[in-house]
Amino acid sequence: MSFWEGLLRGRSEQFESGSAATNCIELTKRNPAVSLTKQGAANGNLRVNLSWRMRTSDIEGRSKTSGKLLQNPLKMFQPEVVQAHTQGVVNVDLDIGCLYELTDGAKGVVQPLGGFFGGLNEPPYVKLSGDDRFGSPSGETIYVNLDHRESIKRLLFFVYIYDQTPAFDRTYAKMTLYPSNGPRIEIDLEERAPQARSCAVFALDNVKGELIVHREVKFVYGFQAELDRLYGWGLQWGRGYKARSGER
């Protein structure tokens, strides 16, 4: 085996074993579900984090274009047109939210809009830690107290754009679950949905005592009421507002 063959083979093995090496489970269309119970992570506080950053260029588009350069080498000398999407162009304010249904029949939502921040040691055992309006590295976080898992029937975590600017295609967004034990779980909002305003990211269901996380990543063109109808929550919705910066 030559040096270069060995180097390429080593890099291939690193990428193939990337999930194990980084102690991470990535939920995809082909592998959409994982059991927290079987992972030994169905207790303590589950931390669910939303993070995002603005796209600066269409990297995938450029990679597809590179293959065409071989067919037309003269294009190598033409300047590439790159449209940068920054907060100066469009102000995207992504918010995390959670629809909950408890085993006693209680239903509701935890979200920044309207100031529904929930509670961790009291029903619904789901608590929003804060509202990030600028896409900082820390993002937004919701905590779920799984020590009260017997009281939780189902949860639906979603993302919506508060300022009503449909621009999911201008952000790289990811939801990451950090259980009290075991590997973290990542779900990328990788599909392009330029006109969507909301996205159901994942569901957490209590199925006969087993907590199962299931990837959804379903974009809708409305807001929470449309997600409600899609998943049959049956809540009454009205116009809501965020508190000004520094207010609660």
Side-chain angles (χ1 to χ4, degrees):
M1 180 186 300
S2 69
F3 170 78
W4 293 111
E5 289 176 344
L7 179 61
L8 291 174
R9 182 177 179 181
R11 291 182 62 184
S12 175
E13 290 175 351
Q14 288 178 3
F15 284 117
E16 290 173 357
S17 62
S19 297
T22 57
N23 198 30
C24 169
I25 297 173
E26 183 178 358
L27 297 187
T28 63
K29 289 181 179 180
R30 298 185 61 180
N31 299 290
V34 64
S35 170
L36 293 181
T37 303
K38 292 180 179 178
Q39 294 286 330
N43 55 7
N45 289 334
L46 171 67
R47 179 163 61 98
V48 181
N49 177 258
L50 167 67
S51 59
W52 76 93
R53 61 184 176 86
M54 303 302 297
R55 293 180 185 270
T56 56
S57 63
D58 188 351
I59 299 175
E60 293 179 357
R62 287 190 296 169
S63 63
K64 293 179 180 179
T65 303
S66 62
K68 298 180 181 180
L69 293 179
L70 296 177
Q71 301 176 3
N72 192 351
L74 293 178
K75 287 188 176 182
M76 295 178 61
F77 301 98
Q78 296 178 0
E80 182 180 5
V81 178
V82 177
Q83 292 182 344
H85 302 296
T86 65
Q87 292 181 4
V89 177
V90 58
N91 182 23
V92 180
D93 180 13
L94 298 185
D95 282 334
I96 189 174
C98 177
L99 287 167
Y100 64 83
E101 181 178 0
L102 304 183
T103 53
D104 64 2
K107 298 179 181 180
V109 65
V110 173
Q111 63 180 20
L113 192 61
F116 296 105
F117 290 92
L120 192 60
N121 297 310
E122 58 186 7
Y125 310 110
V126 180
K127 174 72 174 178
L128 176 67
S129 67
D131 177 20
D132 169 33
R133 304 189 184 186
F134 305 102
S136 67
S138 60
E140 295 186 357
T141 300
I142 286 180
Y143 292 90
V144 182
N145 188 344
L146 296 183
D147 289 336
H148 292 272
R149 58 191 176 276
E150 71 281 353
S151 298
I152 298 173
K153 181 178 180 179
R154 59 172 177 159
L155 305 176
L156 179 68
F157 284 82
F158 61 91
V159 179
Y160 63 96
I161 299 178
Y162 170 68
D163 65 2
Q164 301 187 18
T165 301
F168 271 109
D169 62 326
R170 300 187 181 186
T171 64
Y172 288 106
K174 174 187 295 186
M175 218 173 256
T176 307
L177 291 69
Y178 297 92
S180 60
N181 182 52
R184 70 182 186 274
I185 302 167
E186 293 184 350
I187 305 171
D188 288 320
L189 278 66
E190 55 193 8
E191 290 86 349
R192 296 288 185 93
Q195 298 302 317
R197 288 180 167 87
S198 305
C199 178
V201 182
F202 76 91
L204 176 60
D205 295 308
N206 188 339
V207 182
K208 297 181 180 180
E210 182 179 2
L211 295 183
I212 300 175
V213 176
H214 191 278
R215 177 188 184 273
E216 299 292 326
V217 189
K218 294 181 179 178
F219 289 92
V220 299
Y221 298 100
F223 293 95
Q224 291 88 328
E226 189 168 343
L227 289 173
D228 184 316
R229 287 191 294 270
L230 182 63
Y231 288 89
W233 236 266
L235 301 178
Q236 297 295 321
W237 297 91
R239 183 178 295 274
Y241 300 92
K242 284 188 182 183
R244 295 180 180 179
S245 181
E247 295 180 355
R248 278 289 177 89

